Amino acid sequence: MPAKKTSRRARLIVIAVVLLLVGGLGFGAYWSIGTVRDSFPQTTGSLKIKALKDPVTVKRDGKGVPQLYADNPHDLFLAQGFVQAQDRFWEMDVRRHTTSGRLSEMFGDGQVKTDAFLRTMGWRKVAEQEYARLPATTKEYLQAYADGVNAYLADHEGSAASVEYAALELKHGYAPERWDPVDSVAWLKAMAWDLRGNMQDEIDRALMTSRLKPEQIEDLYPEYPTSRNKPIVEGGSVNDATDEYEPGSDSAGTTPDGGTESGAGTESGAGTESGTGADPAADPAAADAVEGAGTQLGAAADALDKVPGMLGPNGSGIGSNSWVVSGKYTVTGKPLLANDPHLAPQLPSVWYQMGLHCNSVDASCPFDVSGFTFSGMPGVVIGHNQNISWGMTNLGADVSDLYLQKIEDGEYLYDGKQVPFKTRKEVIKVAGGKSREITVRETNNGPIISDRDDELAQVGEEAPVGLSAPDRGDGYAVSLRWTALTASKTMNAVFKLNAASDFKQFRAAARDFAVPSQNLIYADTEGNIGYQAPGAIPVRGKGDGRYPAPGWDPDYRWTGYVPQSALPWEYNPSRGYIVTANQAVTDPDKYPYLLTDDWGYGARSQRINDLIQKKTEDGGKISTQDMQDMQLDDSSEIARLLVPYLLEIDVKDGYVREAQELLRGWDFTQDADSAAAAYFNAVWRNTLKLAFGNKLPKELRVEGECLRVPPADESGPLEDLDGDSELVEECGKRDADAAQPDGGDRWFEVVRKLVQKPDSHWWKTTGNRIEPGDKNRDELLGHAMKDARWELTSKLGKDIDTWSWGRLHRLMLKNQTLGTEGPGFVQWLLNRGPWDLGGGEATVNATGWNAAGGYDVTWVPSMRMVVNLADFDESSWINLTGASGHAYHPNYVDQTDAWANGEQLPWAFTEGAVEKGTDDKMALTP
């Protein structure tokens, strides 16, 4: 049977591209039509794979989304590995080299520092330990998946595997090696790294101590507004006698069989309640240690920035929306479940849509599941099977701590004694260069990450330390303790979720989901809805994890983990819906364990709550389309707060007043064509810069942006001989997408409090001989409106009638390797865009942007789905890009236009619906 590889239209596109390339663009002479087309997958006909036991059918729809049908799990996961490799092997290969700290083998010496940092953390080493602990069945699934990938590699090399390899061959002669089951397990480390919680906040607060007083830092980290933004679960508590979480009266409070079995996590240790003494204002030893480590922490932040973000920049943008509505409030009479994880825009998308179906579902082959997968890892991560559906958002638990370490004579201080490091050697192979050897040093609180940066190795700024801390000497080193560096069974949770048939089995699966901690929501075809908070979450003996801790003090060690029985859950709450969008899980005043002090602040979650309540008042019912519409809500909460103040300001300059008038009558929605949204967001950006950004230390500000500021310490003269203040130039050091203030909903809460204090010092700015400084809130807001008017004039033109938010707020999709740092013509070949988008930061339609860095889109709803539990074939889904990772394949970005327009595609699940939507069919045979 002949194999169909691509359409005539796609062939014409490829021919056109190659003609351009061979016309003189850089390396173009080395490329041919075959180079670009070689890797396009075979999608029809038949292919022999010796490792198969029985035939497997692969059905693809018009978007190239595959549905796999097999007689046994071995063949099902083998076929998954083969098909994912067909579409995404380059992505898979880069991921495994990232997680193992081997990027230098592909890309040369420019990646040595990144590899050294990753080797220091030892992701691959931990993944090997995890694989050894997995049950035999899970290992069999992983091995079958690896066999499928290797079956693909046996017949594909160089450009036949992916066009990017053609570029690498020109430079380094690289060839991929066989896939190993641990390669799949290690991907969980990258996922956990990007969703690691408050590490960046911990560093930022410590760095702020060089410029701000403790009370000023606390101004910038307000308490979670529990009374206004509801937590996920309401009214529950932990039983003091049993240490079990008991849902509140709003929840049915029992599993389907009447039990109260706990879910989540793998680490059981009996924890004790966390202390609260790490605030530098309350703990002189911690304060002195933090003050004496500013340089090290600044360099640590720089090193962390350089670690590839597989899911996106770690910060306020990393999040997601998910909610589930009971059939009591839906038009179908059964639950509806929505999910859209917010991650960095990548090309190809981090997600890969797929269906995995046993031809006969029984105990020997229990899988009939469809949803979103990660290339390189078997199973479905988010989606539904024939009985249940589930979604995920980042819980944001504080699962990592930085420890300051006093080092003398090659040992570190702990409990008054010098302790030898555990050490290991790592050899980093470098394409086109000499191998490098590093020594990794580990303490009882994790590896020394400060060894991986030249500035960190010098450990030091000249800052005094108190009598309660050891002499700083040449400075403190920095170590990292993180739950993901302890082996767990998270991989096992994926297969358990895929086969679960009820809430009890769902919670049993969640129990293995140790890292990263995720909010898991649930719905089933019987009409039940639920929630479980899983994860290995540490309990601290002393300290609250908000600042780096003194590693020499044993009181700051972790004492165990939050008992799994005590983690919050809900089942069929009487309110009829559950919303998770990175807000607080529970009221911290009513829950005995510290999960984190750095929640998202609930702007998105409360908006979703409000939308559901509004839709269901007076007997209203919610449809699948309503769920999709809610996902696209782009109302700005900060605009709702600030615009009344902005309109009250008497603007004298008619040019600025013209822009101010855009805000009058605006409904606070951020559509792509909105001039008012463009102007307001510019005002918001400039307000943050004037009130906060210019007052933060250089380590938090955008790289290359320089200010004249007073010295951070008093080691030099405070004024010159004329009596003027002595100023120094300081330039920002942080990547634009990670700088502060980022404008997320934490800053909403900061400003919400300060607008009530018009004379607060935060509203005051330093002037100069030409322009006086601002003395109060209204002067600063007027200043921001003026600066915004001129900024948009330069970016969008003088005529405000031509302004639009989408022209500022653009999405570029970049190949995450050669598309960002490769030769210019290769970037042109691989990248796509721009798209003008609506939505914004901390809105439900979370097309995020960093206010310190600019308006470009830095994170997005990486996929959207709405699952209809009454009829799975009436569900919908959309991916950010397409199924294919091959440039110029018709499925490379064929979903992006629909995604940008807020559309979703039909999601066929039953065999009849899948068959009806099948464009290509292929048989894999033994």
Side-chain angles (χ1 to χ4, degrees), residues 460-495:
E461 73 179 37
E462 298 297 327
V465 294
L467 296 176
S468 56
D471 180 67
R472 189 181 61 82
D474 292 330
Y476 301 124
V478 182
S479 70
L480 168 66
R481 187 164 187 189
W482 177 35
T483 56
L485 300 185
T486 299
S488 68
K489 297 181 181 179
T490 301
M491 191 70 240
N492 204 45
V494 175
F495 298 114

Side-chain angles (χ1 to χ4, degrees), residues 307-631:
V307 177
M310 304 302 287
L311 303 180
N314 183 266
S316 66
I318 284 286
S320 303
N321 301 322
S322 68
W323 67 96
V324 60
V325 181
S326 165
K328 175 182 177 182
Y329 293 119
T330 69
V331 296
T332 66
K334 289 292 177 72
L336 294 171
L337 185 149
N339 197 187
D340 55 288
H342 306 156
L343 305 172
Q346 297 186 15
L347 181 59
S349 166
V350 70
W351 299 107
Y352 182 87
Q353 295 151 290
M354 195 172 222
L356 303 172
H357 310 277
C358 292
N359 288 321
S360 179
V361 179
D362 54 29
S364 65
C365 194
F367 301 105
D368 187 15
V369 60
S370 182
F372 292 87
T373 74
F374 288 136
S375 300
M377 199 175 91
V380 170
V381 178
I382 295 175
H384 70 83
N385 61 28
Q386 72 276 27
N387 296 307
I388 76 166
S389 178
W390 66 95
M392 297 184 189
T393 65
N394 195 27
L395 192 149
D398 186 356
V399 296
S400 63
D401 281 332
L402 296 174
Y403 285 87
L404 305 178
Q405 304 289 351
K406 172 61 179 177
I407 298 176
E408 288 184 354
D409 300 324
E411 297 179 325
Y412 67 97
L413 181 67
Y414 178 72
D415 198 16
K417 300 176 182 178
Q418 294 298 123
V419 181
F421 291 103
K422 292 182 179 179
T423 63
R424 69 177 189 274
K425 299 288 187 181
E426 295 278 351
V427 177
I428 300 171
K429 296 180 180 179
V430 181
K434 183 180 178 181
S435 296
R436 319 291 170 83
E437 183 176 272
I438 64 170
T439 300
V440 176
R441 303 188 292 175
E442 293 190 14
T443 72
N444 59 359
N445 283 311
I448 299 290
I449 60 173
S450 55
D451 283 349
R452 300 284 74 87
D453 186 278
D454 293 341
E455 186 179 8
L456 281 168
Q458 296 175 12
V459 282
E461 73 179 37
E462 298 297 327
V465 294
L467 296 176
S468 56
D471 180 67
R472 189 181 61 82
D474 292 330
Y476 301 124
V478 182
S479 70
L480 168 66
R481 187 164 187 189
W482 177 35
T483 56
L485 300 185
T486 299
S488 68
K489 297 181 181 179
T490 301
M491 191 70 240
N492 204 45
V494 175
F495 298 114
K496 284 186 174 181
L497 276 174
N498 287 190
S501 61
D502 56 30
F503 192 56
K504 181 180 179 181
Q505 292 181 8
F506 166 80
R507 297 187 71 210
R511 195 175 308 119
D512 282 345
F513 211 112
V515 183
S517 294
Q518 297 289 288
N519 296 306
L520 297 178
I521 61 166
Y522 167 93
D524 63 38
T525 54
E526 298 298 314
N528 302 299
I529 64 173
Y531 164 80
Q532 176 69 62
I537 302 172
V539 174
R540 296 163 178 85
K542 188 177 182 181
D544 57 10
R546 298 179 73 242
Y547 287 85
W552 51 84
D553 189 340
D555 290 344
Y556 284 85
R557 291 266 294 162
W558 293 358
T559 61
Y561 294 85
V562 176
Q564 302 310 303
S565 60
L567 288 170
W569 60 280
E570 273 193 323
Y571 187 63
N572 290 332
S574 60
R575 65 182 177 277
Y577 57 89
I578 302 169
V579 175
T580 83
N582 317 113
Q583 78 271 39
V585 171
T586 187
D587 186 340
D589 294 333
K590 299 176 181 178
Y591 187 72
Y593 295 100
L594 177 67
L595 301 179
T596 185
D597 266 339
D598 290 305
W599 302 109
Y601 281 78
R604 284 180 288 107
S605 62
Q606 193 54 45
R607 177 63 177 173
I608 296 167
N609 272 293
D610 293 344
L611 291 170
I612 293 172
Q613 290 172 7
K614 182 177 180 180
K615 187 66 182 179
T616 58
E617 64 186 6
D618 300 325
K621 302 288 186 179
I622 294 175
S623 67
T624 301
Q625 184 61 53
D626 291 330
M627 298 284 275
Q628 293 181 18
D629 291 344
M630 291 179 192
Q631 290 179 318

